[in-house]
Amino acid sequence: MDHILKYYNQFDEWGRLDREPIEFLINLHYITKYLPLHGHILDNGAGPGKYAMELAKRGYDMSLTDLTPRLVEVAYEKAKDFELLDQFKAFKAADARNLDLFEDEQFDASLMLGPLYHLQEKQDRNQAVKELYRVTKGGGVVFAAFMTRTRHLTTSLLYPQHWKPNDNIHDISTFMETGIFNHSDEGRFTGAYYFNIDEIQPFMESHGFESIQLIASSSIAGSFQSEQFDYWRSRGDDEFREVMEVIYKEAGNPYILGTSSHLLYIGRRK
């Protein structure tokens, strides 16, 4: 896991969600839609804690974990800056495959919005989901992020020099068979695992979750830049709100799942 630590020690994940706000806005919309009205929430693999901060602002008790100690420190400082420390029960450096620091069924709901696509071995993904199941209460809702082979295939074909070794058909074909991608350029995105879309819900269900919905986190606005947001905002608050409602609604359209860089699985622990 050293390569993951190295990458996120120098990468600005908080800034990424600011630069690509649609993913954050859509995920937060659906997370708050399905969360209980109150409770203790785990943000597992939280990075610098952008989602955790928003949920803490809404009054939820939060526990935050991440593999990268530096990001846990960043999250603590963010909570301090936002005067939210009282809402947090824990800031812990932890591997998603081993959450022994938490008790069985400790959380009313759980987020895991990163670890699964950094675990390239099947047994590691299985273990992470088993731990997510263990620490979530029966009936509790979970939110897990996935990346898909379909979207990465598209990206590789569009920008082959940017996504080496997927700059030739042999390596692209190998990637489509395995789902495994390791960037050949030093310092670029860490090794990752990309799911086939039709495998996501059966995978989670095999670990005891009842599927609720699978969301395209980019919806129909994944290619929006500031120009598009500025235009729709210029039309006035009411119209912009209606545009966002269309974007939120279309995120649940199963026909666009392959166009989204990230998917959000929503399920319930049986």
Side-chain angles (χ1 to χ4, degrees):
M1 307 299 279
D2 288 347
H3 62 293
I4 297 176
L5 289 168
K6 182 178 179 181
Y7 179 78
Y8 282 105
N9 271 324
Q10 53 85 34
F11 185 73
D12 179 15
E13 177 66 10
W14 187 284
R16 182 187 76 83
L17 293 172
D18 283 340
R19 294 188 301 273
E20 304 171 14
I22 200 68
E23 175 190 330
F24 174 73
L25 292 172
I26 290 170
N27 283 350
L28 187 64
H29 172 84
Y30 280 94
I31 289 168
T32 54
K33 175 181 177 178
Y34 285 106
L35 278 179
L37 294 178
H38 52 80
H40 187 188
I41 313 300
L42 172 65
D43 193 351
N44 174 30
K50 195 169 179 68
Y51 291 97
M53 301 305 147
E54 290 300 321
L55 297 180
K57 290 175 184 178
R58 288 162 168 77
Y60 292 98
D61 292 328
M62 300 299 302
S63 287
L64 180 150
T65 67
D66 196 82
L67 181 68
T68 308
R70 185 189 72 84
L71 293 184
V72 177
E73 294 171 4
V74 170
Y76 178 88
E77 292 301 322
K78 291 288 186 182
K80 185 177 179 181
D81 291 343
F82 292 135
E83 299 183 349
L84 293 170
L85 285 177
D86 288 346
Q87 296 298 127
F88 282 84
K89 306 299 183 184
F91 293 89
K92 298 289 185 181
D95 190 318
R97 298 169 297 178
N98 183 354
L99 298 176
D100 283 351
L101 66 162
F102 299 125
E103 299 176 359
D104 293 357
E105 299 193 51
Q106 183 170 340
F107 299 101
D108 297 290
S110 300
L111 283 63
M112 187 162 66
L113 303 185
L116 282 177
Y117 48 78
H118 288 305
L119 297 172
Q120 294 183 314
E121 297 297 328
K122 182 177 180 180
Q123 63 266 30
D124 290 333
R125 296 190 294 275
N126 287 338
Q127 184 60 30
V129 176
K130 286 178 181 178
E131 282 291 86
L132 187 72
Y133 181 91
R134 181 183 66 79
V135 300
T136 306
K137 292 180 180 179
V141 180
V142 300
F143 307 86
F146 293 81
M147 296 196 302
T148 74
R149 292 182 207 182
T150 302
R151 172 55 188 263
H152 196 59
L153 169 63
T154 302
T155 304
S156 297
L157 292 171
L158 282 170
Y159 308 107
Q161 295 301 310
H162 195 69
W163 290 102
K164 297 177 182 179
N166 282 7
D167 58 349
N168 64 87
I169 194 60
H170 172 76
D171 284 304
I172 287 175
S173 297
T174 299
F175 162 74
M176 291 302 292
E177 290 175 6
T178 65
I180 293 173
F181 178 77
N182 293 295
H183 212 299
S184 59
D185 291 342
E186 183 68 24
R188 292 295 309 283
F189 185 64
T190 64
Y193 180 79
Y194 294 77
F195 274 76
N196 287 315
I197 296 170
D198 60 0
E199 295 173 348
I200 293 172
Q201 290 185 338
F203 169 69
M204 296 298 291
E205 290 166 3
S206 72
H207 290 286
F209 294 103
E210 176 187 2
S211 296
I212 297 173
Q213 200 165 7
L214 188 61
I215 298 300
S217 299
S218 301
S219 185
I220 53 174
S223 60
F224 274 29
Q225 303 295 325
S226 58
E227 176 185 356
Q228 286 76 37
F229 283 111
D230 290 346
Y231 171 80
W232 290 111
R233 286 193 179 97
S234 75
R235 303 277 301 176
D237 291 344
D238 289 343
E239 188 162 349
F240 182 69
R241 192 178 302 111
E242 290 184 40
V243 168
M244 289 305 301
E245 287 301 322
V246 171
I247 291 171
Y248 292 144
K249 181 180 179 181
E250 286 301 307
N253 182 343
Y255 295 104
I256 66 168
L257 293 176
T259 69
S260 182
S261 60
H262 294 74
L263 302 184
L264 180 68
Y265 171 88
I266 306 167
R268 191 181 309 278
R269 186 194 193 275
K270 294 180 180 179

